[in-house]
Amino acid sequence: MAVRSNLDKSPALQRKLSDLPLRPGCYLYRDQKGNLLYIGKAKVLRNRVKSYFQNKHQDAKTRRLVARIWDLEFIVCETELEALVLENNLINEHLPPFNILLRDDKSYPYVKLTWKEAFPKVFVTRKVRKDGGLYYGPFFPASTAYRTAELVYRFFQIRDCDIDIDGKRGRACLKYQLHRCTAPCIAAVSQEAYREQAKEARLFLEGKRDELKARLEAAMWKAAEAAAFEQAAQHRDALQQVDAWFTRQKAASPNLEDMDVYGSAVLDGRACVHRLMLRDGRMMGRQEYVLAEVETFDGAVLAQVLQRVYSADPVPGRILAEVEPEDAELLRDWLGGMRGSRPQIQVPKKGEKVDLLAMARENARLALERKFEPARLNEAVLEGLQAFLGLSHLPRRLECFDISHGQGREVVASCVVFSEGAPDKARYRRFKMTNEQNDDFANMHEAVTRRYKRMRDEGQEFPDLVLIDGGLGQLHAAEAALKDLGIDQLELGSLAKKEELVFRPGSSEPLRIPKSSPVLQLLQRIRDEAHRFAITYHRALRAKRTLQTELTQVPGIGPATARKLLQTFGSVTRVREAGEAALVEAIGRAGAAKVLAWRAAREAPGATSPSPPAG
């Protein structure tokens, strides 16, 4: 699709495009009214900005942006890293509508320590600001934040009030009596001593168990030597409670590192990004961000997400994601500048990190589904399937074929029907192949021919999409069957099991749908239902053959009794091995005698097994 722009209408835009420098910097796009639309950064301004007006393969969001650009500004920087920092600052200040702006699906709480105050306080907050305070979290569930703050009050007696501390109040509040605060408001504790309490609280919140224990133990012995036994007892109790608290916090990662894990799901032009936060190896919380107008979660989107997240939150030592972010080395430099050392950004391939990534992706998928009403969710998935396969109509009705047999015997086919993304079992059909052969292509040709010949002859409405379980061979067999019938309006596709690749007629190159996509999950659900329906029919025919060729040969045993034997013992082999008492209990003494006589005749020297009936 060609890019539609205002180049022929805006002389200012034409002039500025021709004057762009070959330097790093930031560019700002504005509409005809001067409103800011988008802010970006570039390694080479001229190349990056001009690409917007030349590329014919832009996504829908970028095409809409270009159609509204009337003017642009640029700011030259010395380095690309400087441009990245400037871009981030400008986005945070102006919040342009076409930039990715993270909307936190749910605001999880932090525990804040107002470190820069003379008498720091601790409290729970859901807003993180650059105010010199120390923020710990976020905590999930939220109750964990309040429980942690309560432990700080109990262990270290840090205040949570907003009053000005001048030591001149007449009396302390009730928390002083409850040993939840040392009352700096009435000068019951010096600023130096209170600061030591705050340092211990900080160590606790940062999870530095060994350093905290050493400080508490030293303070306990010092108080004991000074005969301050009540204070020593408080330090002793804090030591015990700290030990118990840290023991309960089981490590989720054996290397005890700080790590963020990002998984995503995309549906109907929206993306949900799920962030798992591990601190000192423990799962401390999660966050979900909803992104509008995102068609695929690629490296460019991930890079913008990381910029937005870490412009407000502390940077961990390791970041796991499903794709490599765009300009990864530049991003590492920027994050390293804020952290003090460059973090690792990885796409895990094996081990527990892959499991963590899968957990984040699954949570993103479930969160995205929760945001849609069930009917709208099905509609959105079908729209995604239509877009992915390039269908002319929304695939409201899908039919899927599968073949099942056992070494060429009892060859059957199934046809399952899904309407509006849900099973329509009243329309399911099954077929027993006329020629039993171990040839999936020939069997698929026969099944498709029988299904659509009847629909054509009876004037029934064809489905919007026919899905074949298999690869190119099965797809070509179905395509040939429809061609032989003179039916050319049916949309076809096949889903290969091994790598979950989708094949379409006219192309040998498969389509790969992201594994987290609800579109692929719908196709898998239909394919698995077709397989279940086919194999159930195959097993029923096999059981019927076994019933007719084995147990019904017993003199005096009819189909009803033979079926009862199979239901009781599970197989003919177990019927042959069953004891007399078990047979009597199952079919009575007379029936058991007939089975025992048949078994004895089969086991007699020179005996031959009866031949199965013809057909």
Side-chain angles (χ1 to χ4, degrees):
M1 185 180 295
V3 175
R4 183 167 59 88
S5 73
N6 295 307
L7 281 174
D8 58 339
K9 302 176 183 177
S10 172
L13 183 60
Q14 291 182 12
R15 185 180 68 256
K16 291 180 180 180
L17 278 176
S18 63
D19 291 340
L20 287 166
L22 294 168
R23 297 276 302 279
C26 288
Y27 52 93
L28 297 81
Y29 290 143
R30 296 186 181 275
D31 64 14
Q32 194 167 4
K33 295 181 180 179
N35 299 317
L36 193 58
L37 298 173
Y38 181 80
I39 298 172
K41 62 108 175 72
K43 186 175 182 179
V44 179
L45 280 167
R46 181 183 298 176
N47 297 346
R48 182 72 183 101
V49 173
K50 284 189 174 182
S51 70
Y52 282 87
F53 301 89
Q54 297 169 350
N55 192 344
K56 296 184 180 181
H57 304 287
Q58 307 279 21
D59 58 38
K61 182 179 179 181
T62 306
R63 289 196 298 270
R64 289 197 303 107
L65 167 63
V66 172
R68 292 180 59 183
I69 297 173
W70 192 266
D71 197 2
L72 73 89
E73 301 172 22
F74 58 86
I75 304 170
V76 173
C77 300
E78 289 296 324
T79 65
E80 190 180 4
L81 178 58
E82 185 180 319
L84 176 63
V85 174
L86 177 60
E87 175 201 32
N88 197 61
N89 293 338
L90 291 173
I91 290 172
N92 288 335
E93 181 178 352
H94 298 288
L95 303 178
F98 279 87
N99 283 96
I100 285 182
L101 305 174
L102 297 187
R103 288 184 291 134
D104 192 350
D105 183 58
K106 186 177 290 183
S107 178
Y108 294 105
Y110 291 76
V111 173
K112 179 179 179 180
L113 175 62
T114 58
W115 187 247
K116 287 194 172 182
E117 293 186 7
F119 293 91
K121 60 178 176 283
V122 167
F123 57 93
V124 175
T125 181
R126 292 181 184 268
K127 295 182 179 179
V128 178
R129 297 187 175 93
K130 294 184 177 180
D131 55 6
L134 301 177
Y135 293 85
Y136 302 95
F139 289 88
F140 177 82
S143 59
T144 312
Y146 294 95
R147 189 163 64 249
T148 301
E150 176 58 30
L151 290 174
V152 172
Y153 305 144
R154 189 196 314 168
F155 294 171
F156 311 107
Q157 300 183 47
I158 300 296
R159 70 187 184 102
D160 66 346
C161 60
D162 291 324
I163 64 173
D164 293 329
I165 304 298
D166 57 9
K168 296 179 181 180
R169 287 179 69 89
R171 62 178 182 175
C173 66
L174 185 61
K175 290 189 176 182
Y176 179 55
Q177 307 298 328
L178 295 174
H179 300 290
R180 292 294 190 271
C181 178
T182 49
C185 57
I186 61 170
V189 62
S190 67
Q191 182 175 338
E192 293 75 16
Y194 188 89
R195 197 72 187 179
E196 290 301 311
Q197 295 170 216
K199 288 179 181 177
E200 290 166 0
R202 178 176 179 175
L203 292 174
F204 172 75
L205 291 169
E206 292 176 352
K208 296 180 179 177
R209 174 181 180 174
D210 294 338
E211 190 175 344
L212 174 58
K213 285 182 65 179
R215 286 180 63 91
L216 287 174
E217 194 168 349
M220 179 184 69
W221 289 116
K222 184 177 179 180
E225 290 172 1
F229 298 117
E230 184 177 351
Q231 189 177 1
Q234 289 175 355
H235 290 310
R236 178 202 62 204
D237 294 343
L239 266 171
Q240 294 171 350
Q241 291 169 328
V242 165
D243 259 339
W245 171 253
F246 279 112
T247 299
R248 286 198 301 270
Q249 303 301 301
K250 300 296 184 184
S253 175
N255 51 12
L256 300 177
E257 62 183 341
D258 288 356
M259 179 163 61
D260 282 355
V261 185
Y262 289 86
S264 72
V266 179
L267 175 62
D268 195 27
R270 297 185 189 181
C272 180
V273 182
H274 194 91
R275 173 190 178 200
L276 298 176
M277 288 162 282
L278 288 84
R279 298 297 179 264
D280 290 328
R282 294 185 296 275
M283 189 75 73
M284 296 298 294
R286 67 177 187 175
Q287 282 182 301
E288 289 167 2
Y289 309 103
V290 179
L291 314 180
E293 298 186 272
V294 174
E295 296 177 5
T296 58
F297 189 79
D298 55 17
V301 175
L302 174 62
Q304 293 183 62
V305 168
L306 297 182
Q307 283 180 244
R308 301 283 77 74
V309 169
Y310 297 119
S311 64
D313 289 1
V315 182
R318 188 186 301 270
I319 297 168
L320 302 184
E322 55 203 289
V323 293
E324 181 83 1
E326 187 178 77
D327 297 327
E329 289 304 310
L330 177 66
L331 191 62
R332 287 187 181 95
D333 289 340
W334 178 67
L335 294 173
M338 293 187 293
R339 184 175 182 272
S341 60
R342 282 164 48 105
Q344 296 187 50
I345 304 177
Q346 296 178 326
V347 179
K349 301 298 183 185
K350 60 182 180 180
E352 70 161 12
K353 292 183 175 63
V354 171
D355 297 335
L356 286 170
L357 182 59
M359 182 193 306
R361 294 176 69 173
E362 177 66 8
N363 276 282
R365 182 185 68 80
L366 293 173
L368 200 56
E369 289 183 359
R370 287 196 302 269
K371 298 178 192 309
F372 290 85
E373 293 294 330
R376 179 64 191 119
L377 173 62
N378 287 338
E379 184 91 359
V381 174
L382 294 178
E383 288 171 357
L385 179 59
Q386 178 186 9
F388 183 80
L389 297 184
L391 306 177
S392 57
H393 295 89
L394 193 68
R396 296 190 178 279
R397 180 172 153 204
L398 294 88
E399 297 190 354
C400 181
F401 289 83
D402 186 30
I403 305 294
S404 182
H405 59 83
Q407 297 180 342
R409 304 190 68 179
E410 287 81 43
V411 185
V412 301
S414 68
C415 174
V416 301
V417 182
F418 273 53
S419 298
E420 302 292 345
D424 189 355
K425 294 190 176 183
R427 295 184 175 183
Y428 283 18
R429 296 293 181 269
R430 60 190 190 184
F431 309 91
K432 188 176 187 303
M433 298 293 100
T434 55
N435 295 311
E436 292 199 338
Q437 53 185 328
N438 192 3
D439 185 343
D440 281 354
F441 303 155
N443 294 326
M444 185 62 72
H445 187 284
E446 179 183 342
V448 171
T449 299
R450 289 169 60 180
R451 172 65 170 167
Y452 297 113
K453 181 179 186 300
R454 181 168 182 172
M455 293 184 71
R456 181 199 62 185
D457 294 346
E458 294 180 356
Q460 297 182 38
E461 185 179 353
F462 288 128
D464 299 301
L465 175 64
V466 177
L467 185 66
I468 305 299
D469 179 14
L472 269 177
Q474 285 86 348
L475 179 64
H476 289 159
E479 191 177 12
L482 293 175
K483 185 177 181 181
D484 293 343
L485 292 171
I487 299 173
D488 57 7
Q489 68 267 42
L490 269 176
E491 296 278 9
L492 268 176
S494 70
L495 181 61
K497 283 189 180 74
K498 187 174 181 182
E499 295 184 27
E500 306 291 40
L501 301 175
V502 179
F503 292 91
R504 291 274 282 151
S507 174
S508 60
E509 291 298 319
L511 304 171
R512 188 184 299 273
I513 308 179
K515 291 185 178 180
S516 61
S517 169
V519 172
L520 177 60
Q521 289 154 13
L522 172 64
L523 296 180
Q524 290 171 328
R525 191 161 71 248
I526 297 171
R527 188 267 316 279
D528 293 346
E529 176 67 356
H531 179 69
R532 180 201 65 79
F533 194 52
I535 203 168
T536 300
Y537 185 35
H538 164 73
R539 286 170 177 167
L541 291 180
R542 187 178 63 191
K544 184 178 180 181
R545 172 174 60 84
T546 302
L547 183 68
Q548 291 176 342
T549 60
E550 296 278 355
L551 295 180
T552 52
Q553 300 304 304
V554 179
I557 297 294
T561 305
R563 188 174 296 108
K564 191 171 183 180
L565 284 167
L566 272 181
Q567 290 172 346
T568 302
F569 296 102
S571 68
V572 176
T573 301
R574 290 184 179 178
V575 172
R576 288 197 293 261
E577 296 172 349
E580 181 177 357
L583 289 169
V584 169
E585 184 178 352
I587 58 174
R589 192 168 298 280
K594 294 172 184 176
V595 172
L596 291 171
W598 165 73
R599 204 161 68 187
R602 292 181 81 256
E603 295 170 357
T608 57
S609 299
S611 300

